[in-house]
Amino acid sequence: MQCELCGAPIRGAPKKVQIEGAVLQVCEKCARLGVELAPPRPVATGRRTQARTQPRAAARPPQRGRDVFDMMVGEIVDDFGDRIKKARLDKNWTQKDLANEIKEREILIKKIEKGDLIPEDAVRVKIEKALGIKLLDVSDEDLERRGTGKITTTVGDIIKIKRE
């Protein structure tokens, strides 16, 4: 093998160095011109060196936890800022009045109305309640899929609780 910097034949193992951003395999002489990169760490095999006192449990496939998107119903409408502003003006409220009503900062209301910020679910619910509007685009299929809206305990949840 030849040194990638000077072209001389490399005796022994090449050195991996970084010289001005380039990673090169070089000889001993050229290795001092750059920063030597550490060799990669060996990958752990997952075995422990100490003896186990308890027998190892059978390997289980990883279980998929509940996802935030599983409970999500519909999407926020595209013109949420305009709808909020229109409903606020229909009540003759300023942005400060709305912010005080939902106990949030006025700057948050300004950003939401401009469309610079999509409201989080908690803020969205407070705005909907205060102004009497709906900001979610919900289809009939989504409502049927959601059912009661309550999270019920499943057999898998009970098994998980028992193991813990």
Side-chain angles (χ1 to χ4, degrees):
M1 176 175 220
Q2 289 185 333
C3 175
E4 293 180 345
L5 195 59
C6 68
I10 298 175
R11 292 186 186 100
K15 301 282 185 177
K16 199 174 212 178
V17 295
Q18 184 174 10
I19 301 173
E20 293 189 18
V23 177
L24 304 170
Q25 291 187 358
V26 297
C27 63
E28 285 284 332
K29 205 187 278 185
C30 295
R32 58 190 168 98
L33 299 174
V35 178
E36 190 167 350
L37 299 176
R41 293 183 184 175
V43 178
T45 60
R47 295 184 182 193
R48 293 186 182 175
T49 57
Q50 300 172 350
R52 292 180 179 263
T53 56
Q54 296 177 348
R56 189 173 179 181
R60 299 185 306 263
Q63 293 182 346
R64 180 182 169 264
R66 288 192 175 159
D67 195 355
V68 174
F69 298 110
D70 291 342
M71 296 180 284
M72 199 166 113
V73 176
E75 293 182 8
I76 195 157
V77 293
D78 292 333
D79 62 337
F80 63 90
D82 295 332
R83 287 188 187 192
I84 293 170
K85 185 174 184 175
K86 183 182 180 310
R88 177 180 59 80
L89 292 175
D90 287 346
K91 288 194 165 205
N92 291 324
W93 284 358
T94 63
Q95 288 176 337
K96 189 170 189 171
D97 293 335
L98 177 59
N100 289 336
E101 183 71 24
I102 66 170
K103 294 179 176 61
E104 293 290 340
R105 291 182 162 190
E106 183 181 358
I107 190 74
L108 179 70
I109 303 300
K110 287 180 181 181
K111 287 182 178 183
I112 290 172
E113 283 188 3
K114 279 177 58 177
D116 291 344
L117 183 69
I118 298 173
E120 293 180 2
D121 285 337
V123 176
R124 177 191 50 82
V125 169
K126 289 195 269 185
I127 291 172
E128 287 177 339
K129 189 174 180 182
L131 297 176
I133 58 173
K134 292 290 179 190
L135 297 174
L136 285 184
D137 185 20
V138 182
S139 67
D140 294 336
E141 293 174 8
D142 288 339
L143 287 175
E144 289 174 11
R145 232 184 326 148
R146 186 173 188 193
T148 61
K150 295 181 182 176
I151 299 175
T152 58
T153 305
T154 64
V155 175
D157 293 335
I158 294 170
I159 292 170
K160 187 176 179 183
I161 292 169
K162 290 267 186 181
R163 286 186 180 155
E164 292 174 356

